[in-house]
Amino acid sequence: MGTATENESMDSEGTSTQEETFTKVSVWDLPDLPKGKLPPHIELQRTRVLCGSLAPTNTENVNYSGAYAAMGVDNSVRFEQFRDNFKVEIVRLEEDELEFDMIGIDPSLANAFRRILIAELPTMAIEKVLIANNTSIIQDEVLAHRLGLIPIKVDPRLFEYMSENDVPNEKNTIVFKLHVRCTKGSDRLRVLSSELKWLPNGSELILGTEHSASSSSAKPKTYTSFSCSQDTRPEFSDEPIAPKDADIIVAKLGPGQEIELEAHAVKGMGKTHAKWSPVATAWYRMLPEVLLLRDIEDDEAEALVKKCPLKVFDIEDIGKGKKRATVARPRACTLCRECIREEGWDKNVALRRVNDHFIFTIESTGALPPEVLFTEAVKILEEKCERVITELS
Amino acid sequence: MEHGSFEDQSKATFSLTDEDHTLANAVRFTLNQDPRVTFCGYSIPHPSDARVNIRVQTTGDPAREVFNDSCQDLMLICEHVRGTFDQAVLKFKTGKGLSAMDIKK
């Protein structure tokens, strides 16, 4: 019904003689709506976001199970139905980057995964910096902040959280040392993250109060109390802990300047501070759908191809020297709406987004590979549900 | 924590600490999909408190049970997502040869 009247309503626009353009049809002559199936225009509303030249419309999802009860359609999602429809397709998987398509899932869940990736997956990051000497022009607190943001390549699952009353030990703290001096008479020196040296035996700085105590004790007390060396753990014996990237500039030293410090990394979550976020970004977009509503040929086709900055459209030859526009790369569309900006073009091109098809991108900072991050994120959502269930019973 | 009445168990508000939109919005989705639910919604009373209130009203079944079931549903969904994802990664890694080059666009 909705599609049939489209042309008529276009013609009648501007003319006040609507009575004449509409041929009167008795209600009884109209075709019956098929039961148990949504009519095409409502199906379109349910599954697509429509992008007009001014703003997107129909952006809200219909969740309520009884939304289409009047049409005899059950909108509740049974688990079996979800299981049959849900698909994952990996598009690109690199060391630190993952792009995949998640098809047949509600935005609320896709968003939950994204939020968990950013804010609730733990990593290790430098939290405490003990500065023994800093004569560089970078202030202590700025230096400490810069150190905190350096991603450390270590699996956080091997460590425990350190609560307020805990003493730093080999299970919850990683200690790094940084000691750089720029000798007098030499050029300016760049201090890179590769200068951070892992101390598997813990802190080497002696606690201030210990100086007066008897020097006979075998081991002087330091800022950490490691009971054993971290490099005896099998996970670290072949791969020493280090910053993920060796070439991050931490500071610059002039001749005669020196930095000597110890950095303590602990486990934390992105919601406390962004330095603990395991992803540089995690984001998704809905799959763009670009449709040509009529054949666009020759000059118009050329114009359309030129309009699109992302080269979504292409031209194909249809013989006899005629050319026709085609949609070659709909995935590249960013919905800039440049192609429908000009008057009347929204009648030629339809821009839509598929509601339940997400192009998910995860950029890892390097502590864990991106595919592991995603599975961990899903596990955390499961744990949240489990917590609620146990609290209820 | 559940706020409700003993006389009418079909309506209740569940107050979850240390949770936010992440869980509440996902549970709201699964609750909405349940035909027994007449109304559900959530709110975060104050942005500084880590707390969400989830309101559930049902056609007659105890709200607690319905809420519990939708958490179970969400867990099942998550498990399935994880399984499907792991399979897809495995498939991609094993099939990663020259064919993977063509997909890149």
Side-chain angles (χ1 to χ4, degrees), chain A residues 76-77 115 371 375 384 392, chain B residues 19 22 33 64 86 93:
Chain A
S76 65
V77 174
R115 285 174 64 95
E371 71 272 21
T375 34
K384 280 171 181 283
L392 279 177
Chain B
E19 291 299 346
T22 308
Q33 298 291 352
R64 165 188 288 257
D86 286 345
K93 278 182 176 168

Side-chain angles (χ1 to χ4, degrees), chain A residues 65 75-78 82-83 93 106 108-109 115-116 371 375 378-379 382 384-385 387 389 392, chain B residues 17 19-20 22 29 32-33 35 64 67-68 74-75 77-80 82 85-86 88 92-93 96:
Chain A
S65 59
N75 193 41
S76 65
V77 174
R78 296 270 160 271
F82 169 78
R83 199 177 52 197
L93 177 57
D106 191 76
S108 60
L109 292 167
R115 285 174 64 95
I116 292 172
E371 71 272 21
T375 34
V378 180
K379 271 188 209 162
E382 272 171 64
K384 280 171 181 283
C385 298
R387 206 199 104 198
I389 290 168
L392 279 177
Chain B
T17 50
E19 291 299 346
D20 57 0
T22 308
F29 164 71
N32 255 325
Q33 298 291 352
R64 165 188 288 257
F67 185 55
N68 198 50
L74 187 56
M75 264 175 83
I77 290 176
C78 284
E79 261 166 52
H80 182 67
R82 196 148 53 92
F85 179 80
D86 286 345
F92 184 81
K93 278 182 176 168
K96 201 180 179 187

Side-chain angles (χ1 to χ4, degrees), chain A residues 5 8 28 32 44 57 68 95 107 134 152 157-158 163-164 172 176 188 198 231 256 261 265 290 310 322 336:
Chain A
T5 53
E8 287 165 352
W28 303 108
D32 280 338
L44 185 76
T57 49
Y68 304 118
E95 192 196 346
N134 176 20
I152 296 163
R157 290 171 291 186
L158 304 170
S163 59
E164 227 170 284
N172 59 24
F176 293 97
R188 266 185 309 232
W198 176 42
D231 56 6
L261 57 83
V290 184
L310 287 138
K322 285 206 141 210
C336 66

